[in-house]
Structures are given as C-alpha cells and as structure tokens.
Amino acid sequence: MKPIKTSMVARLPLAALTACGGGDTEDRLDIADPVVRFVDVSNSGPQVTLYRANVARGDVTNVSYGFASNYFKFDMGSADWSVRSSLAGTQIGSVSIDPLRGTKNTIVALDTSATTSAAYLIPDPHNKPLTSDSTRLRLMNGAYNVGSVDIYMSTPGADITTAKPSIAGTAIGTSGPAPSNDSIDIPGGTYQLTVTGAGTKTILFKGQTSFASNKDLLLVAVPAAAVPGSIRVLLKTEGVAGTTEIAVTN
C-alpha cells in the first residue's frame, strides 16, 4: 500500500495531489491503469515483435538490440506476453502478467549465453511517497559472463573500499531490487556508477551518469562482446526513446 491513508486522500483535491506528486499521482495511489514497457538487450537474437495473447503490438514490431519502449497502458486481465522473432515467428521467451493498478511492468529480452536468449518480467509496485521527488533506480543483470553483481552509486571519484552497495547481489537474469519489490530512491545528480562482483570489491565496470530528480531509470548490465569477462551498462530513462550506453571512466 502507498504510505498515505485513503481517508486523507479523499479529502485532498486531485489537482493538489498532482502538484505534490510530480505528475504520476495515480501510480502512487495505486489507481492508475497497469503499464508495461519492452526493452531488447539481446545482442545474439533476431529482430523481434512483442505479443499479448497472440496479438502483436504495432508499436513494438521488428525491433532490435538497444530498443526500449516507454510505458504503455494495457487492459486489466491476466495474459501471456511473448517475444517472437519477427521473421520466423519463433518464440524467444514469454512471461505472464496478472496486472495490478499502480504497478509498472518491464519485459526484458536478453542473452542467456552467446547463442541463446530469453524474456524476463520485472513488476515494480511503484510505492513512491506522494511528496517525493526522488528518482527511481533499478538494475537488470544480463551479464551472463560475470555472474551476480553489486552496484554502487557514489560521488564521482569516490573510493568504494568501505562502502555498502546501493543494490547488492543481483543474480544473472533478474533485477535488483528483486521483482515485485520497489526500485530504490536516489536524489537527482551526477554519480559514479561502479559494478563489482557480488560480495567483492573487484571492479567490473566504472562509469559516470547524470540525471534529474523524479526520473525512472533502468540500468542493464550486458556482456561486452569484444572483451571476455567484461561488461557494458545500458541506461533506459523513461520518456527517452531507446537505451544509451554509460561511458567507461578510469
């Protein structure tokens, strides 16, 4: 449940709630229609199309690596969503969504090896306080070549030797925080992003990124094909088309 009582909500005009909620008030109150987005970070797979109950999404058709839609609404009612090869119709993977109001869903197609891929679902309850202007951050680990990871969001140039991970122990093929748990809150600003092996300080990736307040961000760790055992990190910013790659820093 959202951290504001229903009786209190009933006494507040919607305009006032919208002003303090940053434009996503209905999501925060769990009364918004369910939404889903699709992110394709499968470098080994073909161009794909997204289907709901065997009906293709016209705006997610014949897409390829790096594609990321924004959230779109869909009807209530449980249904299977599948990711299929646009040319052959072969199913890459499928997930089942039993939608809840106020929940934001992400379907991710990613590689599970150098030659295979699958689809994963991330349901996010989006339990964000009405007055918060923090950014929501989540990690998807598609780096099958390095295993579970920790990430640190810190001041540029910071030493992470004694720091605690911002998101810890994200296994391959899942998200951190775990699916059906809220994304973490983080203030807008400029950050050093460090990815390490889970439970270690062995750095796998270090880069820098900046973002404003009240954003919705998904980081996706994927293999760096040219360098065995290393990774790249892609960023999906809600409201911005596609993904961008976070540049490596020393």
Side-chain angles (χ1 to χ4, degrees), residues 32-54:
D33 291 336
V35 295
V36 65
R37 64 184 171 186
F38 177 65
V39 179
D40 184 0
V41 289
S42 174
N43 200 29
S44 68
Q47 291 184 302
V48 297
T49 296
L50 180 67
Y51 289 76
R52 179 178 187 262
N54 294 318

Side-chain angles (χ1 to χ4, degrees), residues 224-240:
V227 186
S230 67
I231 64 173
R232 298 188 293 166
V233 179
L234 307 178
L235 173 65
K236 165 57 181 174
T237 303
E238 184 58 26
V240 177

Side-chain angles (χ1 to χ4, degrees), residues 37 71 122 124 126 128 134-140 151-154 165-168 170 175-178 181-188 191-194 209-212 214-220 233-238 246:
R37 64 184 171 186
Y71 291 119
I122 310 170
D124 187 338
H126 199 68
K128 186 174 180 179
S134 62
T135 280
R136 303 291 269 182
L137 178 70
R138 181 178 291 274
L139 169 71
M140 181 73 200
I151 69 166
Y152 300 79
M153 301 294 292
S154 51
S166 303
I167 300 175
T170 303
S175 71
N181 287 276
D182 289 321
S183 300
I184 68 168
D185 283 336
I186 187 169
Y191 289 86
Q192 173 181 285
L193 165 65
T194 308
T209 187
S210 298
F211 48 86
N214 224 20
K215 295 295 183 180
D216 180 330
L217 306 179
L218 176 67
L219 297 169
V220 187
V233 179
L234 307 178
L235 173 65
K236 165 57 181 174
T237 303
E238 184 58 26
I246 295 180

